[in-house]
Amino acid sequence: MQTAGTSLRQRALRYLVSQAHHPRGVVGWANGWMFAHRPSNRKRNIWAVSLLDVRPTDRVLEIGFGPGVAIAEFAARATRGQVFGVDHSRAMVRRAARRNAAAVRARRVHLAHASVERLPSFGGPLDAILAVNSVGFWPDPVERLGELRRLLRPAGRIALVSQPRCPGATRDTTAQAARELQDLLTRAGFTHLRVETLELDPPVACVLADNPGHPPGR
């Protein structure tokens, strides 16, 4: 039998999960602060950016940039390029814009309040795309990944990162998440897949792939 206390805890848990997916208001601001300052999150995002081998003139995109840690790392590497980011949380757009204020003013970083299914124009082909712990929330992820392929130049790179946050997550949970991401990328037409692992608790998987150069549907 469900008690009032159990029901309250379940509602609180659902609220916190929804905030992690779509941060907003004061709680969203607090979540952004936590995500930006949690050492494991910072390490994970900076590591993921390093795997994409960003060059100074690259044009890069992050889907779901949160507090903007990876955006800042991209901006530090693509010093003569362009860094784009989309996030469906206005709270995260504001926080990331503050973190990257100088690069935004210099028009090297462009942040938009948008969702993966309604992306803005980026003014030309992209060299690299990153998504950290967000693919599981996308509607029809294979279709979304196909659309992202169309945005990449031939031989452009994509990195999908997963660090499972479910209770009791283990190395096996991470390995299963990596297999699922590999399957999605393969179905979307990406090639040269490889998996890198960062030893955190739980481990982080980054699945990298290339755009073979023939847009889907052609």
Side-chain angles (χ1 to χ4, degrees):
M1 179 177 177
Q2 188 179 65
T3 67
T6 301
S7 177
L8 182 61
R9 285 194 296 273
Q10 289 175 342
R11 288 198 299 271
L13 180 59
R14 284 195 295 270
Y15 177 68
L16 290 174
V17 169
S18 74
Q19 278 286 342
H21 179 205
H22 192 168
R24 56 199 179 277
V26 174
V27 175
W29 182 91
N31 271 345
W33 187 92
M34 178 186 70
F35 294 152
H37 290 84
R38 181 186 286 174
S40 62
N41 284 354
R42 290 179 58 81
K43 183 181 241 184
R44 179 193 65 203
N45 285 16
I46 292 170
W47 169 77
V49 170
S50 74
L51 294 175
L52 280 168
D53 189 26
V54 174
R55 300 169 182 87
T57 58
D58 276 356
R59 294 164 45 83
V60 299
L61 166 67
E62 183 177 12
I63 308 290
F65 50 73
V69 173
I71 291 288
E73 189 68 14
F74 275 136
R77 293 167 181 262
T79 52
R80 302 193 305 278
Q82 296 289 309
V83 179
F84 302 94
V86 299
D87 199 293
H88 64 181
S89 165
R90 292 186 188 277
M92 292 298 98
V93 174
R94 289 192 295 269
R95 176 165 285 280
R98 285 196 295 271
R99 175 181 293 275
N100 294 278
V104 170
R105 286 194 299 271
R107 299 181 182 273
R108 294 197 302 112
V109 167
H110 312 269
L111 305 177
H113 175 238
S115 62
V116 68
E117 62 267 36
R118 291 183 179 84
L119 293 172
S121 170
F122 302 111
L126 300 170
D127 296 285
I129 295 174
L130 172 67
V132 178
N133 275 3
S134 68
V135 176
F137 298 112
W138 297 359
D140 196 348
V142 173
E143 183 175 342
R144 300 286 85 77
L145 287 168
E147 292 166 353
L148 292 175
R149 261 196 67 201
R150 294 184 182 94
L151 297 176
L152 281 170
R153 66 167 175 77
R157 297 95 65 201
I158 190 169
L160 303 182
V161 178
S162 178
Q163 184 180 25
R165 290 301 192 182
C166 53
T170 65
R171 179 177 297 277
D172 289 341
T173 315
T174 298
Q176 177 60 32
R179 287 191 291 270
E180 292 171 0
L181 292 175
Q182 286 177 289
D183 178 64
L184 294 174
L185 286 164
T186 300
R187 290 165 59 195
F190 286 92
T191 58
H192 301 115
L193 277 68
R194 77 178 198 272
V195 179
E196 300 287 345
T197 304
L198 179 63
E199 296 298 334
L200 295 178
D201 183 22
V204 186
C206 179
V207 183
L208 297 116
D210 295 340
N211 175 21
H214 303 290
R218 293 284 181 89

